[in-house]
């Protein structure tokens, strides 16, 4: 019994010694509970891995923020460059507009208001005068336009001014003569009749406009006489002037006298003593043509009062 007891005790002490060792009663692997398979090293690895991920995430965030700062700075610089380019473009456009405006203003002033193209009275020329109108008279009539740029001249108004100022001028056409002159083409009034007044003989044109008063009947004009004792009225004088004025120069040269009745019937007296019964002032152009044809025949009277059926005797 002694030896067996010794063996039992020894076995007991051996098991207790083994159990007292760390992890001696636990088998590695399948015998360990599921929750205790990962020991302290596994928890350290887990903590290390999480910390590493956090560090990686922090590094990635810092990198993104760095990239964001770089991108943001680049965008800001490009935005400033674009704004600067826009400002330069606006200034360039404004400069061009101002240059155009200044150039236009200089041209307008130079052409329209400076002495560069100003009218000079000594540069006024005339054509068409019959000798009764001198260039000095036309220049005086246009004196108000002296110094005005030729570009701004009212040519129509100038022509009217000449005709109003000079009674012998029926109309005037003004054209520019660069750089400082104008040319005035005159259409003169033609004296066709005269009537005696207390002041002398009034010379009339074909529109009964009094051109001048002279002491004697001008050659080539018809003397207006009255029929009977009644003095001529203005309507009668006008009728005679219109009839004589409708004649061509050849026929008019043969008319020495004319008269009109109270009813406006006009009679002409030719240089050879023949008489022309004209009638009223209607169809004067046609009557003048018929009379020109009839004068190729010798006669004492020519009646064109009915121009479609004229007669001679």
């Amino acid at each position: 019994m002694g030896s067996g007891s010794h063996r039992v005790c020894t076995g007991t002490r051996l098991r207790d010694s083994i159990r007292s060792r760390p992890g001696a009663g636990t088998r590695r692997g399948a015998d360990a509970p599921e929750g205790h398979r990962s020991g302290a090293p596994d928890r350290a690895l887990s903590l290390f891995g999480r910390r590493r991920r956090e560090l990686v995430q922090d590094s990635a965030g810092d990198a993104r923020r760095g990239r964001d700062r770089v991108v943001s700075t680049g965008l800001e610089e490009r935005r400033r460059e674009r704004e600067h380019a826009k400002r330069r473009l606006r200034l360039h456009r404004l400069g061009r507009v101002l240059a155009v405006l200044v150039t236009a203003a200089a041209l307008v002033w130079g052409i329209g208001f400076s002495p560069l193209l100003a009218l000079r009275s000594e540069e006024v020329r005339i054509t068409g005068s019959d000798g009764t109108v001198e260039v000095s008279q036309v220049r005086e009539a246009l004196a108000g336009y002296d110094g005005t740029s030729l570009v701004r001249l009212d040519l129509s108004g100038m022509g009217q001014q000449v005709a109003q100022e000079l009674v012998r001028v029926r109309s005037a056409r003004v054209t520019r003569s660069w750089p400082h002159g104008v040319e005035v083409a005159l259409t003169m009034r033609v004296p066709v009749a005269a009537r005696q007044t207390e002041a002398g003989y009034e010379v009339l044109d074909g529109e009964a406009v009094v051109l001048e008063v002279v002491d004697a009947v001008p050659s080539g004009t018809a003397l207006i006489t009255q029929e009977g004792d009644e003095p001529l009225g203005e309507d009668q004088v006008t009728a005679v002037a219109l009839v004589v004025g409708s004649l061509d120069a050849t026929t008019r040269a043969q008319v020495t006298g004319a008269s009109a009745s109270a009813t406006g019937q006009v009679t002409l007296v030719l240089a050879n003593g023949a008489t022309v019964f004209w009638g009223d002032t209607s169809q004067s152009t046609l009557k003048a043509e018929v009379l020109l044809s009839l004068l190729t025949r010798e006669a004492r009277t020519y009646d064109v009062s009915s121009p479609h059926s004229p007669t001679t005797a």
Side-chain angles (χ1 to χ4, degrees), residues 232-273:
L232 292 173
E234 292 298 325
D235 292 340
Q236 294 168 286
V237 172
T238 300
V240 171
L242 291 174
V243 168
V244 178
S246 68
L247 300 174
D248 63 279
T250 302
T251 304
R252 188 168 59 245
Q254 301 180 50
V255 178
T256 58
S259 62
S261 65
T263 59
Q265 302 299 306
V266 177
T267 301
L268 305 177
V269 178
L270 303 181
N272 61 6

Side-chain angles (χ1 to χ4, degrees), residues 80-156:
R80 286 196 296 267
E81 290 175 356
R82 286 196 297 271
E83 290 180 353
H84 184 62
K86 289 180 180 179
R87 284 195 297 271
R88 285 189 301 178
L89 180 59
R90 286 195 294 267
L91 290 174
H92 182 64
R93 289 177 177 173
L94 179 60
R96 286 192 298 179
V97 171
L98 290 176
V100 170
L101 291 177
V102 170
T103 302
L107 286 174
V108 169
W109 179 83
I111 295 175
F113 298 93
S114 74
L116 182 63
L117 298 174
L119 175 65
R120 299 173 182 172
S121 60
E122 62 272 15
E123 297 292 333
V124 175
R125 302 287 183 268
I126 66 171
T127 60
S129 175
D130 59 1
T132 59
V133 172
E134 301 292 338
V135 66
S136 59
Q137 295 174 282
V138 176
R139 289 173 179 172
E140 184 178 353
L142 297 178
Y145 295 91
D146 192 31
T148 303
S149 172
L150 266 62
V151 176
R152 296 191 298 115
L153 289 178
D154 178 9
L155 301 182
S156 177

Side-chain angles (χ1 to χ4, degrees), residues 20 56 61 70 72 83-84 95 98 103 109 131 143 148 170 190 192 229 236 253 263 302 310:
S20 65
V56 171
V70 172
S72 176
E83 290 180 353
H84 184 62
L98 290 176
T103 302
W109 179 83
T148 303
R170 183 177 182 181
V190 179
V192 298
D229 297 331
Q236 294 168 286
T263 59
Y302 301 89

